[in-house]
Amino acid sequence: MARIFITGSTDGLGLMAAQILSGQGHTVALHARNDARARDAQAALPDNAGVAVGDLSSITQTREIAGQVNDIGPFDAVIHNAGVGYYGRSRVETDDGLSDVFAVNVLAPYLLTALITPPERLVYLSSGMHHSGDTELRDAQWTRRPWQGAQAYSESKFYVTTLAFAVARRWPTALSNAVDPGWVPTKMGGNSATDDLQLAPVTQAWLAAGDDAEALVTGRYFHHQQSRRAHPATQSPQVQDRLLKYCADLTKVELPTAVSAD
């Protein structure tokens, strides 16, 4: 059985994936934004390995989360599930001067990947909207452009998909994949969403702990356990390295170039 850490797992798809994995006999550690949410997580999944607490919009707190995870771990898999949506939102600036959509959806997964003891498998939550993302990292914090929530979200999902593939390239001994869970009626997806909520957490749980050949791959983009075509630029080493440098400059933490097999 595997040990798995899931960000943003107090409710929604993160909690649903945790419940699937726990039901299969795996050991799951959770993440909550604050102490109140941590209590919710404990109540929803009492049989957990621990709850890391911290706000992923903060670079300082994300570093602290990584330390907590390493204290609870090590882990066989990490699911980077936490995310910020865009419905009805204006630009929100974090204490670090960043767009919170970028900070939570992109920078936090980058920093956690760089600081958590490398697992054998990494899963990053993407979206079909990543196909509309900007490949050039132009004004990634939306300080010069008029705010467009849907585009900011699309760009963040383009970047996190690029991150997943960059990790797959740099860490060939690990399995790193991106997942589009579909447009489902979660708190983020909204009530108008049309995809199947019950199917939405299945693929990330499968990639984190599945032992069939289709799950033991890397550098892929999945929807409902089927490999799909990602935006071609996400596979570009130049685009990947540009994103990694940008995130390293913001956090002062570089992604290790490689991890060795045990």
Side-chain angles (χ1 to χ4, degrees):
M1 293 291 101
R3 290 175 54 84
I4 300 148
F5 171 65
I6 307 174
T7 67
S9 42
T10 58
D11 60 11
L13 300 186
L15 178 58
M16 293 173 72
Q19 291 168 331
I20 290 171
L21 290 161
S22 181
Q24 294 171 347
H26 302 292
T27 300
V28 182
L30 307 174
H31 158 255
R33 186 172 63 250
N34 53 44
D35 290 335
R37 300 288 283 166
R39 290 191 291 271
D40 293 341
Q42 289 281 9
L45 194 74
D47 188 19
N48 64 73
V51 182
V53 180
D55 188 339
L56 292 171
S57 70
S58 162
I59 291 174
T60 296
Q61 291 191 43
T62 301
R63 294 177 71 108
E64 292 171 354
I65 292 166
Q68 295 172 53
V69 174
N70 286 334
D71 289 341
I72 300 169
F75 290 95
D76 301 297
V78 174
I79 301 177
H80 294 281
N81 165 80
V84 172
Y86 63 92
Y87 289 110
R89 301 174 79 252
S90 58
R91 181 183 183 275
V92 176
E93 186 164 293
T94 71
D95 290 343
D96 300 303
L98 308 174
S99 158
D100 72 333
V101 173
F102 183 90
V104 175
N105 294 1
V106 186
L107 199 63
Y110 168 85
L111 191 53
L112 292 176
T113 301
L115 295 178
I116 290 174
T117 300
E120 296 176 358
R121 306 191 197 192
L122 303 101
V123 182
Y124 298 83
L125 267 287
S126 181
S127 165
M129 292 176 68
H130 89 276
H131 286 283
S132 300
D134 172 39
T135 67
E136 300 297 327
L137 271 173
R138 289 175 291 210
D139 192 24
Q141 304 310 323
W142 290 81
T143 57
R144 298 188 300 275
R145 294 176 286 174
W147 176 257
Q148 298 178 40
Q151 184 60 28
Y153 181 80
S154 297
E155 291 177 10
S156 76
K157 291 304 180 179
F158 173 86
Y159 300 143
V160 81
T161 305
T162 301
L163 173 62
F165 297 159
V167 173
R169 175 171 64 93
R170 289 204 173 195
W171 295 359
T173 60
L175 305 179
S176 177
N177 296 287
V179 175
D180 167 18
W183 182 32
V184 291
T186 59
K187 184 168 57 180
M188 181 186 297
N191 294 330
S192 300
T194 57
D195 212 336
D196 188 334
L197 179 60
Q198 297 308 309
L199 287 178
V202 171
T203 302
Q204 46 266 45
W206 172 68
L207 287 170
D211 58 7
D212 51 313
E214 290 82 0
L216 300 176
V217 297
T218 193
R220 303 281 185 85
Y221 170 75
F222 284 90
H223 177 67
H224 293 345
Q225 295 180 282
Q226 298 295 316
S227 182
R228 298 288 180 87
R229 183 176 181 271
H231 190 302
T234 59
Q235 301 280 5
S236 163
Q238 291 76 24
V239 174
Q240 293 171 9
D241 288 346
R242 185 185 307 130
L243 175 66
L244 295 180
K245 183 180 185 304
Y246 183 69
C247 292
D249 288 345
L250 290 174
T251 62
K252 311 306 179 190
V253 176
E254 292 192 6
L255 185 75
T257 54
V259 293
S260 58
D262 292 335

